[in-house]
């Protein structure tokens, strides 16, 4: 079993839809949770960063962490065609050597006009 | 802005060749990482380095080696390229906050 599981999709939604992306994990030591966005033929870029449990909102994006269920989510409101990308969840444990991250497989999202 | 650059965007090599992939970061970051990205498998860590001349194996180091002679530069070496090393290779760096990694644009390597 992988430490981090992410549904690879692909996910296709109409413009304006609410998108929900999810990851589950098995390592209870994970404390830092991230979402990266990767456009086609580019490197991933950090989108959201959360420490421990709770919610974090940034514009149309909301990240949720439920450590009791070992489940994290990224919600995108009013999705736009420019949100079409691969979304990768990533996480690390407190005190992990040198910021080593464990990534999910990535979900391919397409938002069509 | 943090900038991580990789020497090539696309590379075609033959089986058995020695391949060098170079990565340079301009933010004086201590930590640097090499990943490969394959469909359905996500990013898998090959090697990372936390200081000059220091390196540690990641999850899939077999068939690879690394070199970090200067703080800003981290090289990935394929000693004898094989077709199963055809992949997208991504370099990343992180600094004091450690958990935030900044990625380069990637090198798409094809081994024939």
């Amino acid at each position: 079993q992988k430490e981090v599981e992410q549904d690879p999709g692909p996910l296709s939604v109409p413009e304006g839809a609410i998108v929900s992306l999810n990851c589950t994990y098995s390592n209870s030591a994970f404390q830092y949770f991230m979402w990266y966005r990767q456009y086609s033929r580019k490197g991933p870029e950090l989108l959201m960063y959360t420490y421990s449990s709770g919610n974090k909102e940034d514009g149309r994006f909301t990240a949720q962490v439920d450590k009791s269920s070992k489940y994290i989510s990224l919600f995108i409101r009013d999705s736009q065609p420019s949100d079409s990308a691969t979304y990768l969840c990533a996480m690390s444990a407190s005190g992990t050597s040198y910021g080593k991250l464990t990534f999910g497989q990535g979900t391919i999202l397409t938002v069509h006009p | 802005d943090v900038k991580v650059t990789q020497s090539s965007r696309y590379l075609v090599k033959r089986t058995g060749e020695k391949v060098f992939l170079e990565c340079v970061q301009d933010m004086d970051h201590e930590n640097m990482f090499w990943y490969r990205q394959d469909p359905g498998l996500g990013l898998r860590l090959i090697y990372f380095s936390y200081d000059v001349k220091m390196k540690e194996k990641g999850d899939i180091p077999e068939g690879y080696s690394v070199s970090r002679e200067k703080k800003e530069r981290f090289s990935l070496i394929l000693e004898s390229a094989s077709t199963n090393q055809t992949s997208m290779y991504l370099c990343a760096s992180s600094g004091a906050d450690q958990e935030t990694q900044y990625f380069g644009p990637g090198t798409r390597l094809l081994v024939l």
Side-chain angles (χ1 to χ4, degrees):
Chain A
Q1 183 193 1
K2 291 181 179 164
E3 268 193 304
V4 180
E5 295 277 1
Q6 183 177 4
D7 186 343
L11 193 59
S12 180
V13 301
E15 184 175 354
I18 296 174
V19 176
S20 172
L21 304 168
N22 312 293
C23 288
T24 59
Y25 63 94
S26 57
N27 187 347
S28 57
F30 287 144
Q31 296 274 2
Y32 301 90
F33 303 93
M34 285 135 275
W35 287 94
Y36 282 81
R37 177 176 61 195
Q38 184 178 21
Y39 290 116
S40 181
R41 304 188 193 289
K42 298 277 180 78
E45 56 178 345
L46 183 66
L47 190 60
M48 298 286 282
Y49 172 94
T50 310
Y51 172 70
S52 196
S53 283
N55 293 1
K56 185 173 184 178
E57 190 173 320
D58 184 2
R60 296 184 294 109
F61 298 88
T62 300
Q64 285 187 352
V65 174
D66 181 350
K67 289 187 70 183
S68 61
S69 303
K70 297 192 179 68
Y71 189 87
I72 71 170
S73 300
L74 177 71
F75 296 95
I76 307 174
R77 288 184 300 281
D78 187 26
S79 56
Q80 302 295 308
S82 58
D83 295 327
S84 299
T86 297
Y87 290 81
L88 298 144
C89 63
M91 37 198 91
S92 72
S94 178
T96 299
S97 59
Y98 315 111
K100 189 176 158 187
L101 297 178
T102 303
F103 284 85
Q105 298 94 313
T107 300
I108 300 170
L109 171 68
T110 301
V111 181
H112 49 87
Chain B
D1 271 357
V2 176
K3 189 135 182 161
V4 180
T5 56
Q6 295 184 229
S7 51
S8 306
R9 293 300 306 274
Y10 300 95
L11 215 48
V12 181
K13 295 292 181 181
R14 297 217 173 267
T15 302
E17 278 193 78
K18 191 167 187 175
V19 181
F20 292 88
L21 302 182
E22 298 278 327
C23 175
V24 178
Q25 50 93 5
D26 67 357
M27 283 303 290
D28 201 35
H29 282 170
E30 291 78 14
N31 310 312
M32 296 188 75
F33 307 82
W34 274 107
Y35 297 89
R36 62 177 284 176
Q37 185 176 29
D38 301 287
L41 297 177
L43 271 70
R44 293 181 291 166
L45 182 64
I46 304 171
Y47 267 97
F48 67 101
S49 168
Y50 52 91
D51 202 350
V52 176
K53 297 192 187 295
M54 306 305 287
K55 61 186 179 187
E56 283 203 20
K57 294 179 180 178
D59 301 316
I60 51 163
E62 296 78 19
Y64 304 94
S65 62
V66 291
S67 172
R68 192 161 180 207
E69 296 296 319
K70 293 186 178 181
K71 191 175 185 180
E72 68 270 19
R73 190 179 298 269
F74 191 35
S75 303
L76 179 70
I77 303 149
L78 286 65
E79 297 289 343
S80 177
S82 63
T83 54
N84 63 11
Q85 292 179 310
T86 291
S87 187
M88 167 75 106
Y89 289 88
L90 289 160
C91 175
S93 71
S94 69
D97 67 355
Q98 292 200 356
E99 284 73 28
T100 303
Q101 291 188 14
Y102 298 88
F103 284 83
T107 296
R108 195 168 290 275
L109 173 66
L110 173 63
V111 182
L112 299 173

